């Protein structure tokens, strides 16, 4: 080894260290410096409003033909999704994008694949009026809710001004915020439990970071807090097609936003196939492949890939004590 | 009351009230709480912006491992911006267009900043990935290449990695062009390399290219983000708002001052009004006091007058009494003379008769002796003869028959005299009629005759009385009062005659009235006196000789009876009094006549028939 090489390696390592030193530190008990943060164990919400929100979440009368409720596409039994590529809205219409999970949705900084909803309430507003999804409107919904005595009483208990559009949205959002899945095995690891992860999973986590997945899939929700082009290093296949989903470009009209989407959360990725905005990846392995190919462009061995998949699986937590 | 306030004043008052209300509205101070909240919000925005800049830098310097903190800033920003745009403490639409514009500019700017930040996040991730990939995979590749013996490529790769690292750290042009050159070289040289190593080499090149692409973008974005004039826009907004606020405060201060001035003026006006009211009150009070005093004075005066009236009434009564007394006196003088005359001769007759009776009684005694002598057996003839002589002597002296005749005559005269007296008495009674009821039927002829008898003393030897009585119906009246009238008229008539004269009395019925005329040939009544003769206390006699009440009383009596009394006179020739009394009167007047004692005269008989001084109460 000549000195130049050594210097390079050391320099690179130093640079890497500068980037990753805090990350790679494994000496601290509480791993607060990891790019992934643990989900808080509890969120403070008004129980009456959460209960009301749960009822409304499962209420098909929120749709125009009383057939579709929030739970139709975001069922709590199936990890907050419907496990279909595209969901069916009212009248059996097929949606254009894959339904993301409703769990931990409160930790996303924006909602929807093109991040055009700044808040949960706003997303509800859009979905209610979307002719392909719920196809309803507030006067209709309020009328139906008011006709039901049960709702009248519950609304009165939870809100000062009874049944109103604002309160429906607020109740639903309160419920959605309550859908946290804390204390994953990974979270326990983050909180200092060294035995929470298996060696393979831990290796997967390290690879996740090394490969660069961590650049976008970070934060408390392992994603969900930024936008990124789908096809950074390589172009997304099918981007030349006429009806290709151009993501955020549809919202801003900015060329630079073509194929830019919100980075999804990987928290429950292991339970919510199919993947990507168009549900084009049926399995987690496929999704990882695509990501590595398009986003990080690195050669990864199969065993490394498996380790990463194992890591992702370790992110799955429990809702109300029950594993999802 | 309302119609006392004139229309213009009312309008003025309403206008003033409205103006005052408007002033109060304008003077209300700009909401201090809202101002505080807005100022606070602006400060928070400033802090948030610094935080944003800080977070971006932290991300860039890899002090932050994840974007959560950065991502959370924008929802907070949106919330703060929303609180300025809507809601209770909103600034939009509540201030002025300048402020709204500044707010819009700021919000737009921050939206741009957010877009840039998003882009920054995306590009930074990519850059970071590639930056960390290049040295690591570069190192691995070097090993692999070394094992494959591609020492040239190894050197190239190392150089590439070094330059890339340098560029990614420093971003200098030299490193950039060097990297570019190395990439070109490697791209060319990659053909030679083993197929297995092609992919990693191309990957490396791709990442190096990515760094070349992303570094300027990321640095540019960062610079743009930091350099965004958000502070200036925020200051503009703050300044505009503060300006507005101060101006609004100033305006409301001015209005408040105006309001204060107006209030002071109003108070002054009120004070003035109060002062005027006070003055009026004092004046009223004074007037009231004066009124009360006047009232007291009036009461006093009234009492005085009442006392005077009482005194006068008493004097009246006294005068009436004395008039009555004087007429009574006159009457009594006349009557006593009339009575004295028969009383005189009756008294002398009775004493003469008494002496006659004594002489007759003695003669009878002598006869009685003679008789008893004659009767007694023992009587002596001498004795009888003596007695016979005695009797004859006395009988000769006493012309018994003559005496008896004289006595009878004397007694007849006396009877006549007493009859005279009783006539006079009965006339008197007739005149006064005290033993009869107040009002009754009365014949004026009889009344005149009674009165003449009473006044006989005055009349005889002085006045020649001629009468012309007609048949007149009776009238209802108080006889005593009417007689008093006639007596007064006759007395006056007689007293007006110097020396000898005539008195003419006439009565007749005329159109429901009975007229009595008393005419004398006295000295008459002068023209200037005639109108006063019926006035009370008016007399032409010397002091002490008459009360002046006679005619006044007569007038009142006649008036009360519903009659008339009038006078006409030719001075030097005489006077004529005419009394008309109605035949048949309504019953009500009879009470008046019976009860009244007040004086009256034609002139004083104002609005009421009774006339006289009404009592003031």
């Amino acid at each position: 080894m000549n000195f130049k090489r050594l210097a390079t390696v050391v320099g690179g390592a130093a640079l890497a260290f500068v980037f990753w030193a805090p990350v790679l530190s494994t000496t601290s008990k509480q791993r607060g410096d990891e790019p992934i943060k643990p989900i808080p164990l509890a969120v403070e919400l008004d129980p009456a409003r959460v209960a009301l929100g749960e009822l409304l979440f499962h209420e098909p009368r929120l749709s125009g033909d009383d057939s579709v409720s929030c739970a139709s596409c975001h069922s709590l039994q199936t990890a907050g999704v419907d496990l279909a590529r595209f969901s069916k809205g009212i009248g059996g219409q097929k949606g254009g994008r894959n339904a993301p999970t409703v769990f931990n949705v409160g930790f996303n900084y924006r909602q929807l694949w093109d991040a055009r909803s700044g808040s949960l309430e706003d997303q509800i507003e859009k979905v209610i009026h979307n002719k392909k999804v719920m196809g309803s409107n507030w006067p209709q919904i309020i009328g139906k809710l008011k006709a039901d005595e049960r709702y009248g009483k519950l609304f009165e208990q939870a809100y000062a001004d009874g049944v109103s559009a604002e309160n429906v949205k607020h109740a639903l959002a309160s419920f959605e915020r309550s859908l946290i899945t804390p204390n994953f095995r990974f979270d326990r690891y983050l909180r200092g439990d060294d035995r929470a992860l298996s060696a393979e999973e831990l290796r997967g986590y390290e690879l996740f970071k090394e490969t660069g997945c961590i650049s976008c899939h970070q934060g408390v929700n392992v994603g969900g807090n930024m936008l990124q082009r789908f096809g950074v290093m390589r172009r997304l296949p099918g981007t030349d097609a006429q009806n290709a989903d151009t993501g955020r470009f549809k919202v801003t009209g900015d060329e630079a936003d073509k194929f830019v989407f919100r980075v999804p959360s990987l928290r429950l990725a292991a339970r919510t196939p199919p993947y990507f905005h168009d549900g084009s990846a049926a399995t987690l392995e496929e999704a990882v492949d695509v990501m590595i190919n398009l986003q990080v462009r690195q050669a990864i061995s199969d065993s490394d890939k498996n380790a990463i998949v194992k890591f992702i699986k370790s992110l799955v937590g429990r809702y109300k004590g029950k594993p999802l | 009351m309302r119609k006392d306030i004139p229309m213009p004043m009312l309008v003025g008052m309403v206008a003033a009230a409205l103006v005052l209300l408007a002033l109060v509205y304008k003077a209300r101070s700009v909401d201090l709480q809202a101002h505080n909240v807005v100022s606070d919000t602006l400060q928070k925005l400033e802090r948030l912006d610094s935080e944003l800049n800080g977070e971006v830098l932290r991300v860039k310097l890899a002090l932050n491992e994840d974007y959560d903190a950065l991502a959370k800033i924008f929802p907070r920003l949106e919330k703060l911006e929303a609180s300025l745009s809507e809601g209770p403490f909103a600034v939009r639409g509540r201030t002025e267009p300048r402020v709204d514009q500044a707010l819009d500019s700021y919000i737009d700017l921050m939206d741009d900043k957010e877009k840039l930040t998003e882009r920054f996040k995306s590009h930074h991730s990519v850059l970071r990935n590639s930056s960390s990939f290049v040295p690591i995979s570069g190192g691995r590749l070097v090993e692999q290449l070394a094992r494959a013996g591609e020492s040239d490529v190894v050197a190239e790769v190392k150089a590439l990695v070094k330059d890339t690292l340098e560029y990614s750290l420093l971003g200098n042009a030299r490193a950039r062009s060097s990297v570019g050159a190395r990439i070109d070289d490697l791209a060319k040289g990659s053909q030679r390399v083993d197929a297995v190593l092609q992919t990693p080499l191309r990957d490396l090149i791709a990442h190096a290219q990515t760094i070349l692409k992303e570094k300027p973008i990321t640095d540019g974005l960062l610079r743009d983000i930091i350099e965004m004039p958000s502070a200036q826009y925020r200051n503009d907004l703050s300044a505009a708002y503060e300006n507005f606020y101060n101006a609004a405060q100033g305006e409301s201060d001015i209005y408040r001052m105006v309001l204060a001035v107006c209030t002071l003026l109003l108070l002054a006006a009120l004070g003035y009004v109060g002062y005027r009211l006070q003055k009026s009150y004092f004046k009223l009070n004074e007037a009231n006091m004066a009124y009360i005093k006047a009232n007291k004075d009036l009461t006093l005066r009234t009492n005085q007058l009442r006392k005077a009236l009482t005194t006068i009434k008493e004097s009246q009564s006294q005068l009436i009494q004395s008039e009555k007394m004087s007429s009574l006196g006159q009457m009594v003088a006349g009557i006593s003379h009339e009575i004295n005359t028969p009383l005189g001769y009756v008294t002398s007759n009775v004493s003469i008769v008494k002496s006659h009776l004594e002489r007759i009684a003695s003669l009878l005694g002598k006869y009685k002796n003679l008789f008893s002598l004659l009767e007694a057996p023992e009587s002596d003839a001498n004795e009888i003869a003596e007695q016979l002589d005695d009797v004859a002597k006395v009988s000769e002296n006493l012309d018994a028959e003559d005496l008896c005749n004289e006595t009878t005559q004397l007694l007849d005269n006396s009877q006549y005299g007493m009859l005279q007296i009783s006539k006079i008495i009965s006339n008197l009674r007739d005149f006064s009629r005290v033993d009869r009821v107040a009002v009754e039927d009365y014949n004026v002829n009889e009344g005149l005759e009674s009165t003449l008898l009473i006044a006989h003393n005055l009349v005889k030897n002085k006045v020649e009385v001629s009468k012309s009585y007609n048949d007149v119906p009776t009238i209802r009246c108080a006889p005593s009062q009417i007689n008093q009238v006639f007596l007064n008229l006759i007395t006056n008539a007689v007293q007006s005659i110097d020396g000898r004269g005539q008195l003419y009395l006439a009565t007749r019925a005329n159109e429901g009235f009975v007229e009595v005329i008393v005419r004398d040939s006295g000295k008459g009544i002068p023209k200037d006196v005639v109108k006063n003769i019926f006035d009370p206390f008016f007399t032409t006699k010397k002091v002490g000789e008459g009360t002046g009440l006679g005619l006044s009383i007569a007038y009142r009596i006649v008036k009360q009876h519903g009659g008339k009394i009038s006078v006409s006179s030719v001075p030097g020739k005489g006077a004529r009094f005419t009394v008309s009394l109605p035949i048949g009167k309504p019953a009500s007047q009879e009470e008046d006549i019976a009860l009244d004692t007040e004086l009256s005269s034609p002139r004083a008989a104002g609005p009421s028939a009774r006339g006289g001084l009404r009592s003031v109460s």
Side-chain angles (χ1 to χ4, degrees), chain A residues 243-293:
Chain A
N243 56 350
D245 192 344
T246 47
R248 198 136 169 85
F249 174 72
K250 283 204 191 131
V251 178
T252 63
D254 197 335
E255 278 290 327
D257 280 338
K258 269 200 169 149
F259 306 109
V260 169
F261 293 91
R262 180 192 66 169
V263 172
S265 161
L266 295 185
R267 281 274 178 198
L268 297 180
R271 293 274 182 276
T272 63
Y275 304 100
F276 303 137
H277 65 279
D278 53 2
S280 49
T283 66
L284 201 47
E285 287 78 2
E286 270 179 58
V288 170
D289 270 339
V290 169
M291 282 283 111
I292 288 175
N293 191 23

Side-chain angles (χ1 to χ4, degrees), chain B residues 117-139:
Chain B
T117 310
E118 290 288 353
R119 297 242 173 87
F120 172 77
K121 281 192 291 187
S122 313
H123 289 280
H124 175 76
S125 309
V126 175
L127 178 64
R128 187 164 126 168
N129 252 6
S130 299
S131 301
S132 68
F133 178 77
V134 161
I136 293 175
S137 88

Side-chain angles (χ1 to χ4, degrees), chain A residues 100-262:
Chain A
T101 178
V102 73
F103 281 102
N104 303 316
V105 81
F107 301 117
N108 292 336
Y109 87 136
R110 286 190 186 290
Q111 309 301 330
L112 300 178
W113 277 106
D114 52 13
R116 66 181 197 276
S117 265
S119 65
L120 290 173
E121 285 85 347
D122 189 52
Q123 187 267 348
I124 294 166
E125 182 82 31
K126 289 187 159 68
V127 157
I128 294 260
H129 290 99
N130 190 328
K131 290 197 176 50
K132 282 199 179 160
V133 186
M134 306 288 265
S136 185
N137 57 60
W138 287 118
Q140 205 184 78
I141 291 174
I142 302 288
K144 286 189 231 174
L145 291 177
K146 274 192 172 156
D148 189 329
E149 258 183 30
R150 203 174 44 139
Y151 277 118
K153 265 202 296 248
L154 288 168
F155 268 96
E156 229 124 272
Q157 281 166 6
Y159 294 97
D161 50 343
V163 182
S164 78
E166 291 305 311
N167 293 343
V168 168
K169 286 193 281 188
H170 190 268
L172 277 170
S174 302
F175 173 63
E176 285 165 14
R177 286 194 192 97
S178 77
L179 295 171
I180 58 171
T181 60
N183 236 13
F184 304 1
R185 289 191 289 114
F186 185 70
D187 274 13
R188 292 211 302 274
Y189 170 75
L190 286 177
R191 289 183 202 278
D193 184 355
D194 290 335
R195 288 168 306 163
L197 292 178
S198 69
E200 188 69 0
E201 285 157 351
L202 201 53
R203 192 170 77 90
Y205 178 51
E206 298 301 331
L207 283 165
F208 191 81
K209 285 191 283 192
E210 269 178 36
T211 337
C213 311
I214 199 83
S215 312
C216 298
H217 295 279
Q218 34 64 48
V220 73
N221 226 6
V222 196
N225 62 2
M226 58 181 284
L227 306 171
Q228 190 55 277
R229 178 171 300 120
F230 197 9
V232 168
M233 298 302 289
R234 291 200 175 93
R235 276 238 311 254
L236 183 63
T239 48
D240 298 329
Q242 281 282 30
N243 56 350
D245 192 344
T246 47
R248 198 136 169 85
F249 174 72
K250 283 204 191 131
V251 178
T252 63
D254 197 335
E255 278 290 327
D257 280 338
K258 269 200 169 149
F259 306 109
V260 169
F261 293 91
R262 180 192 66 169

